[in-house]
């Protein structure tokens, strides 16, 4: 019996589901955190460059590979180049999915607590120092960190049991526009605070002297993370994409929406951050400290604040779904497991892997101060974020670009693009990017990293 693969229900279906995957904690939590630690405006310029010149062509390649092979990452490499070592890039993707899911769920769990804290007026009347302290106390509690992580992972599994179409697409449709609306309100409040000016300078006036090899790598890595590239999410989502769909416009839409939301999040966070006298480099707690301050200063702040954390949680959910779906699709295709078994194993595996991350913000000292590089301490969560959320994605994207450009070959990839876009006439330009620009810039950065291990973190 031939089992027809599930596909998205409509043309907009993929754009919404793809944007649902891309838009998440990466835009609203990781982007401001990383930009804050790497100098602001100059980081953002490099980030935008990477999106346009490196990531977009990798996204198109992932979608094309997925739609062409109708497989998970390992299966995709295997069906085009059987019995070769290329499949290890796929295997890396599966492992990366598990690694990212583990800490992603921990942070997403925090948003659940912040829904209730905001709704019950917990932050009302607190100054920015008290809000910071309450974050530190909250994340250092092992019981709540692990329980919230468990709840979030269970929600993700519950949706994944239902499968792609029923589960993922439906949610993304309604909630993305709502998230954007509240984000706009936050931007208005943030930029009109007294003292917001310093935030604009931080965001828009590049200080090129602040740019180091490390910040370039952080910006490129952030672009891959935010666009859900480098571990096969877009291969898997592409495999659910119909042949009539235009890959170029779908990818461009997803990249545009994702980048727009990240920039809006930056505009909501940094002017307020400086207005409240906080430091941009504070790390993982950044938005959880800045946002409650904005809500305190806002008309109907409790209402908008609660709404915002609900939507952020949901945006995180639609992204985490797409991360865990990668190992799930792998188990279903390659091991012939049922969806139920695959989701159970992938979900429980990611939950267990996330426990040390959940304990690494104060609960356990050895995990909280795991390594110290150039005077800055990194905990287990930061470490996972760096290894899986950054380096692994860069290596995975290098793999996709090399594979599409050099192994799969020009005519095949162009043919796949033309399947849903008959008049596509920029084939030569696309090949130039996927064959040379994307892989060589990634190779250059990875070699730099190898030669300068202290640029590692
Ligand atoms: N891009 C998502 C976010 O911004 C997270 C995500 C989903 C992801 N799928 C991914 C990150 C694949 C890297 C790779 O929150």
């Amino acid at each position: 019996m031939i089992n027809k693969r599930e596909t998205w229900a409509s043309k907009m279906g993929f754009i919404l589901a793809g944007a649902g995957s891309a838009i998440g904690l990466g835009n609203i939590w990781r982007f401001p955190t990383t930009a804050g630690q790497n100098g602001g405006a100059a980081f953002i310029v490099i980030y935008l460059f990477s999106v346009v010149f490196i990531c977009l062509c990798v996204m198109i390649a992932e979608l094309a590979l997925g739609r062409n092979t109708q497989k998970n990452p390992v299966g995709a490499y295997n069906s085009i180049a059987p019995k070769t070592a290329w499949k290890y890039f796929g295997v890396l993707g599966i492992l990366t999915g598990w690694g990212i899911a583990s800490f992603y769920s921990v942070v997403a769990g925090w948003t659940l607590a912040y829904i209730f804290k905001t709704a019950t007026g917990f932050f009302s009347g607190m100054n920015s120092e008290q809000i910071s302290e309450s974050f530190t106390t909250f994340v250092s509690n092992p019981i709540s960190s692990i329980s919230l992580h468990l709840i979030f992972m269970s929600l993700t599994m519950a949706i994944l049991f239902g499968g792609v179409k029923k589960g993922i697409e439906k949610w993304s449709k309604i909630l993305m526009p709502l998230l954007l609306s509240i984000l706009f309100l936050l931007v208005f409040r943030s930029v009109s605070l007294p003292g917001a000016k310093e935030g604009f300078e931080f965001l828009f006036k590049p200080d090129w002297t602040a740019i180091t090899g490390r910040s370039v790598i952080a910006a490129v890595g952030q672009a891959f993370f935010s666009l859900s590239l480098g571990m096969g999410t877009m291969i898997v989502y592409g495999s659910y994409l119909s042949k009539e769909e235009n890959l170029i416009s779908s990818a461009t839409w997803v990249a545009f929406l994702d980048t727009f939301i990240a920039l809006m999040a930056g505009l909501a966070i940094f002017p307020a951050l400086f207005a409240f006298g906080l430091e941009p480099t504070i790390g993982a707690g950044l938005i959880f400290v800045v946002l409650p301050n904005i809500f305190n200063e806002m008309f109907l702040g409790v209402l908008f604040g609660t709404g915002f954390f609900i939507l952020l949680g949901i945006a995180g959910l639609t992204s985490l779904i797409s991360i865990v779906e990668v190992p799930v699709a792998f188990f279903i295709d390659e091991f012939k497991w049922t969806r139920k078994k695959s989701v159970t194993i992938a979900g429980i595996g990611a939950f267990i892997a996330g426990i040390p991350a959940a304990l690494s913000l104060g609960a356990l000292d050895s995990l909280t101060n795991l390594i110290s590089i150039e005077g800055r301490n990194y905990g287990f969560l930061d470490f996972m974020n760096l290894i899986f959320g950054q380096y692994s994605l860069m290596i995975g994207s290098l793999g996709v670009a090399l594979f599409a450009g050099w192994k799969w070959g020009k005519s095949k990839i162009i043919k796949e693009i033309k399947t849903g876009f008959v008049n596509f006439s920029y084939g030569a330009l696309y090949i130039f990017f996927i064959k040379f620009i994307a892989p060589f810039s990634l190779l250059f950065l990875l070699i730099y990293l190898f030669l300068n291990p202290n640029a590692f973190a």
Side-chain angles (χ1 to χ4, degrees), residues 21-27 100 104 224-231 233 258 319-320 322-323 393:
S21 163
I23 297 165
L25 300 175
N27 309 58
I100 295 180
Y104 201 94
F224 283 112
F225 186 96
S226 193
L227 293 172
S228 303
L229 296 175
M231 56 159 264
T233 288
D258 183 74
S319 299
L320 187 57
S322 76
I323 300 173
L393 297 179

Side-chain angles (χ1 to χ4, degrees), residues 8 36 60 109 199 392:
W8 308 111
I60 294 165
S392 202

Side-chain angles (χ1 to χ4, degrees), residues 123-323:
F123 300 112
S124 305
M126 285 192 182
N127 62 27
S128 67
E129 242 164 65
Q130 290 163 323
I131 292 177
S132 298
E133 271 165 32
S134 80
F135 175 78
T136 316
T137 317
F138 161 65
V139 287
S140 61
N141 180 336
I143 309 281
S144 63
S145 303
I146 294 181
S147 325
L148 290 164
H149 167 44
L150 178 64
I151 295 173
F152 208 87
M153 194 54 86
S154 312
L155 283 172
T156 306
M157 289 165 67
I159 296 182
L160 280 171
F161 282 131
V164 178
K165 219 167 49 180
K166 268 183 278 155
I168 304 174
E169 192 175 339
K170 193 175 76 191
W171 285 92
S172 308
K173 266 185 207 163
I174 325 160
L175 300 158
M176 288 302 126
L178 267 178
L179 177 69
L180 194 59
S181 321
I182 298 201
L183 198 54
F184 276 133
L185 291 178
L186 290 187
V187 171
F188 280 122
R189 180 66 272 216
S190 176
V191 301
S192 59
L193 285 167
K197 193 170 147 272
E198 217 181 316
F200 287 116
E201 286 182 6
F202 185 78
L203 275 171
F204 298 119
K205 223 167 130 192
D207 170 12
W208 295 106
T209 59
I211 284 296
T212 58
R214 177 196 331 204
S215 36
V216 174
I217 291 169
V220 176
Q222 171 60 24
F224 283 112
F225 186 96
S226 193
L227 293 172
S228 303
L229 296 175
M231 56 159 264
T233 288
M234 291 298 168
I235 297 184
V236 172
Y237 273 35
S239 77
Y240 307 134
L241 200 58
S242 100
K243 290 279 182 196
E244 281 96 63
E245 201 101 29
N246 179 331
L247 295 182
I248 307 276
S249 81
S250 302
T252 310
W253 264 108
V254 171
F256 169 77
L257 290 171
D258 183 74
T259 308
F260 183 69
I261 298 228
L263 293 176
M264 285 298 118
L267 260 179
I269 299 287
F270 287 106
L273 176 130
F274 286 98
F276 297 117
L278 295 158
E279 286 297 318
T281 49
I282 52 181
L286 180 72
I287 67 159
F288 295 94
V289 174
V290 175
L291 290 172
N293 278 297
I294 307 184
F295 301 135
N296 273 347
E297 294 292 318
M298 203 167 163
F299 175 64
L300 295 180
V302 167
L303 183 73
F304 289 126
T306 310
F308 182 81
F309 281 118
I310 293 177
L311 293 167
L312 180 58
I314 294 169
L317 191 60
T318 54
S319 299
L320 187 57
I321 287 168
S322 76
I323 300 173

Side-chain angles (χ1 to χ4, degrees), residues 39 70 89 96 113 126 185 236 369 382 433 450:
Q70 297 282 298
F89 280 116
T96 309
M126 285 192 182
L185 291 178
V236 172
N369 299 307
D382 303 313
F433 271 86
F450 185 71

